[in-house]
Amino acid sequence: DYSDRAKGTITNLVGALEEARNSFDKAEEQMKGAMERINILAHELRCHGGVYGYPLISEFGKSLTTAPATAPA
């Protein structure tokens, strides 16, 4: 069931975000790893939203993958 899969991905995404927040002032490698995990999960949401016919999920995933590139410095 896609809703279970999406729920799991969102749960993992929240965990990765917390990891990124907690590692903000720590080692660069730890922060980089958390951000890579967020990017992978965002791509997963984008792809699965398209495959299963949930365009809003796809747009959400897309927004997460483009957010770092468009965020103000």
Side-chain angles (χ1 to χ4, degrees), residues 24-60:
F24 188 73
D25 292 330
K26 297 180 183 170
E28 184 178 331
E29 283 301 310
Q30 186 177 358
M31 177 66 146
K32 185 177 177 182
M35 296 306 292
E36 285 178 13
R37 189 169 156 219
I38 289 170
N39 192 42
I40 289 167
L41 292 166
H43 278 282
E44 186 175 307
L45 281 175
R46 185 178 182 185
C47 178
H48 289 167
V51 169
Y52 292 103
Y54 293 96
L56 185 59
I57 296 291
S58 289
E59 282 301 313
F60 177 65

